[in-house]
Amino acid sequence: MRIDIIAIFPGMFAPILNESIVKRAQKKGKVKIYIHDLRSYSLDKHRKVDDRPFGGGSGMLMRPEPIFAAVEDVKSKSKNQKAKVILLCPQGEKLTQKLAKKIAKYQHLILICGHYEGVDERVRQRLVDEEVSIGDYVLTGGELPAMVLVDAVARLLPGVLGDKNSLNFESFEDNLLEHPHYTRPANFRGMGVPSVLLSGDHKKIESWREKEALKRTKQKRPDLLG
Ligand code: ADE
């Protein structure tokens, strides 16, 4: 997968993208990530990318020209007509594991990080294929949401995680949260481990885990059970 990120704070990405699984995914050649500074596409001599809204009102909007120029430049360089242009903004579809899985199937993503009061509507009309929000709260910009999306998607790419099963048994599979986990020591400060997990009986362990996953989901996230 190729991911191009267009942002006005390109320096925010390096610390996240150069660590952990996203770093490993890049090293393994499973994902190529390119960061583009939106200001370098500004026609303004002060590299301004925002302006006041027509009709008045508070706040500034992102002008359309630099965003169109950036996306068109990326598309022409990558020569990939199948790129999906995704705008990160609070109005978008809420990011879920299901949506991350859908996006993980795309070959090329172009992520636009929104800012200020939002983007000129013509960006949505003509350029953007999908809008994604990472939750019902407002951040100062789309950079953190873009990183969240990249992380959620990169770990789903085939061959990125070491253990194939770790994807099959994690939270939100079958709309369930994960069952409780324990590791060594078997006794920690007087707290034990459920004896079934020490029994070696895999059938019993599996049914205990299913029961616990359901119990936990009912307690913490009944909305997932519908
Ligand atoms: N930009 C600001 N807040 C956001 C959010 N919650 N999701 C995506 N982009 C955003």
Side-chain angles (χ1 to χ4, degrees):
M1 174 184 269
R2 172 179 171 140
I3 305 177
D4 288 89
I5 305 177
I6 299 166
I8 61 172
F9 294 118
M12 284 176 75
F13 294 93
I16 305 289
L17 301 183
N18 296 330
E19 294 288 346
S20 185
I21 286 171
V22 179
K23 175 181 173 182
R24 203 198 310 161
Q26 293 177 91
K27 268 202 162 161
K28 283 184 171 177
K30 306 293 178 191
V31 63
K32 281 201 154 70
I33 303 173
Y34 302 93
I35 313 294
H36 308 273
D37 183 355
L38 183 64
R39 290 185 197 284
S40 66
Y41 291 94
S42 170
L43 302 174
D44 180 272
K45 66 171 185 255
H46 303 296
R47 310 213 313 155
K48 248 181 77 143
V49 291
D50 60 334
D51 217 322
R52 284 165 292 133
F54 283 125
S58 66
M60 301 290 268
L61 292 175
M62 292 174 86
R63 288 175 65 111
E65 309 97 308
I67 302 179
F68 272 75
V71 169
E72 284 161 1
D73 185 42
V74 166
K75 279 189 174 175
S76 75
K77 276 184 189 143
S78 71
K79 295 194 176 55
N80 189 337
Q81 298 310 308
K82 284 198 216 120
K84 287 278 184 189
V85 179
I86 297 178
L87 173 67
L88 283 307
C89 69
Q91 296 182 10
E93 179 178 350
K94 212 184 289 180
L95 182 61
T96 57
Q97 194 62 13
K98 189 168 161 225
L99 180 57
K101 280 185 183 169
K102 183 181 120 183
I103 294 175
K105 296 207 174 90
Y106 300 153
Q107 284 174 7
H108 183 195
L109 307 180
I110 301 177
L111 307 183
I112 303 171
C113 304
H115 255 275
Y116 312 113
E117 288 302 301
V119 297
D120 183 285
E121 192 59 23
R122 289 162 291 189
V123 170
R124 284 201 175 84
Q125 274 171 10
R126 200 48 82 69
L127 208 56
V128 167
D129 297 307
E130 295 180 27
E131 295 173 56
V132 173
S133 160
I134 62 162
D136 289 342
Y137 43 85
V138 181
L139 299 166
T140 52
E143 281 82 1
L144 289 170
M147 283 186 258
V148 168
L149 181 62
V150 169
D151 190 294
V153 165
R155 61 191 294 288
L156 293 174
L157 300 176
V160 169
L161 292 187
D163 179 3
K164 274 190 210 141
N165 283 333
S166 54
L167 279 180
N168 295 333
F169 295 107
E170 65 184 4
S171 287
F172 305 113
E173 285 308 315
D174 305 322
N175 272 347
L176 287 176
L177 299 181
E178 270 188 77
H179 53 77
H181 299 280
Y182 295 86
T183 183
R184 268 165 281 274
N187 189 325
F188 176 65
R189 299 191 179 182
M191 294 179 282
V193 170
S195 55
V196 62
L197 297 180
L198 308 173
S199 69
D201 184 333
H202 293 290
K203 264 212 165 114
K204 266 195 191 157
I205 293 174
E206 202 178 315
S207 94
W208 179 86
R209 286 180 167 163
E210 278 169 19
K211 234 175 51 207
E212 289 295 320
L214 190 60
K215 191 165 116 193
R216 188 155 267 210
T217 311
K218 273 186 187 154
Q219 269 171 2
K220 294 190 180 186
R221 291 292 306 275
D223 57 298
L224 289 176
L225 299 169

